[in-house]
Amino acid sequence: MSIKILHIDSNNPILMQQLQELGFENHEDFISSKEVIESKIQDYHGIVIRSRFKIDKHFLDKATKLQFIARVGAGLESIDCEYASAKDIQLIAAPEGNRNAVAEHTLGMILSLFNNLNRADREIRSGHWNRESNRGHELDGKTVGIVGYGNMGKWFAKKLRGFDVEVLCYDIKENVGDAHAKQVSLAELQKKTDVLSLHLPWTPETDKMVDTAYINAFAKPFWIFNTSRGKNIVTADLVKALQSGKISGAGLDVLEYEKLSFETLFQDKTTPEAFQYLLEADNVLLSPHVAGWTFESHEGLAQVIVDKIKKLYF
């Protein structure tokens, strides 16, 4: 039987090329609406997505022949995973493909923010040579707390090996700590952490997790970095903590306001007050959800998906 795969998002060319070489029949539709895709999904055994739209119950009920859903990315929150699993549909993600990119980006944000690199660059370009106001902080001697110790968290911990830091991790799973991070309770992590890095999926448990109560549970002022999902942080509460000094600075690759597709920031033209503060704050560093989106990871994600699909059938 020929396995027909529908690709609804563009990806690295090696993905379709290698699947073709393996004997899969590939079709692409990068522009049709969800309704149009639903009208023909019954003809396909597999679908390859990024984040164009949600794969919900209605979609899955239309996909009567579907055997797998492959997401070219780390998370599966755009899919009704429980319903798909109940229909014996295999779910494939590729966190191995961009974990190094995310880890390097996180470290880069920390070093940039600690040393005021972006602000200093802007000032020099404007003709200002301000040394004292751009005095930085050193990472050595700090305690780094990692919340979420899966693929991304573990690779970030590896990147910290060259620094004289204590690395702690907290995860809902037991026994995930390793030589690079000591697993501790959330209470201990909040007691000791100077630098907090989030590497979490977006789930009902993590949605709006970092709020005022969560922030105030930390014993010391701390820096926060989020390269996971924007909705894991309540932005208004983050801003209050930045204003009070409870949070010393923030590096955010993801924002609470993102649309699912990641292609645009806001669903309307208004700028939330909390986001306006982030735009103007010197101790905030922003990037457009690109931590895992390097040239190398673009190929790596595709390769992981090919390898996992191949494993299903060969």
Side-chain angles (χ1 to χ4, degrees), residues 103 106 110 144 146 152-160 197 199:
T106 305
I110 292 172
V144 179
I146 301 173
M152 308 303 171
K154 287 180 182 292
W155 248 249
F156 172 55
K158 285 185 177 183
K159 299 300 176 188
L160 295 170
S197 188
H199 297 278

Side-chain angles (χ1 to χ4, degrees), residues 30 68 70-71 80 92 116 120 148 171 189 194 255-256 286 307:
F30 303 156
F68 73 85
R71 178 167 184 265
D80 189 329
I92 299 171
N116 302 308
D171 197 282
L189 183 138
D194 300 298
L255 293 166
E256 179 181 358
L286 304 170
D307 293 343

Side-chain angles (χ1 to χ4, degrees), residues 6-208:
L6 179 63
H7 301 251
I8 66 169
D9 290 290
S10 61
N11 287 292
N12 191 284
I14 69 167
L15 196 158
M16 201 172 298
Q17 175 188 332
Q18 292 189 25
L19 289 175
Q20 200 78 30
E21 291 170 354
L22 289 167
F24 294 98
E25 182 180 338
N26 295 280
H27 297 250
E28 60 183 50
D29 188 339
F30 303 156
I31 60 173
S32 293
S33 67
K34 182 180 179 182
E35 290 72 26
V36 171
I37 300 294
E38 285 176 342
S39 71
K40 61 183 178 181
I41 193 61
Q42 75 275 359
D43 296 329
Y44 292 93
H45 306 96
I47 185 169
V48 177
I49 66 169
R50 287 205 334 259
S51 302
R52 188 144 67 93
F53 52 71
K54 284 185 177 292
I55 306 295
D56 53 20
K57 289 183 179 180
H58 185 266
F59 185 96
L60 292 169
D61 283 338
K62 297 283 187 178
T64 53
K65 295 181 182 178
L66 203 61
Q67 297 173 6
F68 73 85
I69 303 169
R71 178 167 184 265
V72 187
L76 294 169
E77 62 266 25
S78 61
I79 303 167
D80 189 329
C81 296
E82 185 176 345
Y83 197 61
S85 296
K87 288 179 167 287
D88 294 322
I89 298 170
Q90 297 294 313
L91 301 175
I92 299 171
E96 304 92 337
N98 65 352
R99 59 192 178 188
N100 186 72
V102 170
E104 289 192 7
H105 192 98
T106 305
L107 182 56
M109 292 191 98
I110 292 172
L111 296 178
S112 180
L113 198 56
F114 268 36
N115 293 284
N116 302 308
L117 297 183
N118 290 60
R119 182 177 69 190
D121 177 77
R122 289 194 304 269
E123 289 177 353
I124 290 175
R125 292 173 189 271
S126 300
H128 302 287
W129 189 263
N130 302 324
R131 296 185 69 232
E132 183 57 36
S133 63
N134 283 304
R135 188 189 292 270
H137 298 269
E138 295 180 19
L139 185 53
D140 271 22
K142 305 291 192 297
T143 296
V144 179
I146 301 173
V147 176
Y149 205 60
N151 275 283
M152 308 303 171
K154 287 180 182 292
W155 248 249
F156 172 55
K158 285 185 177 183
K159 299 300 176 188
L160 295 170
R161 288 179 297 182
F163 296 88
D164 183 15
V165 293
E166 180 183 19
V167 184
L168 307 177
C169 68
Y170 170 75
D171 197 282
I172 58 173
K173 295 181 180 179
E174 297 181 357
N175 302 316
V176 297
D178 55 23
H180 309 300
K182 176 185 177 184
Q183 187 169 7
V184 297
S185 66
L186 180 59
E188 184 174 348
L189 183 138
Q190 290 175 319
K191 179 180 179 181
K192 296 181 177 179
T193 290
D194 300 298
V195 179
L196 178 67
S197 188
L198 303 180
H199 297 278
L200 297 159
W202 181 39
T203 69
E205 291 73 30
T206 64
D207 184 57
K208 299 179 177 59

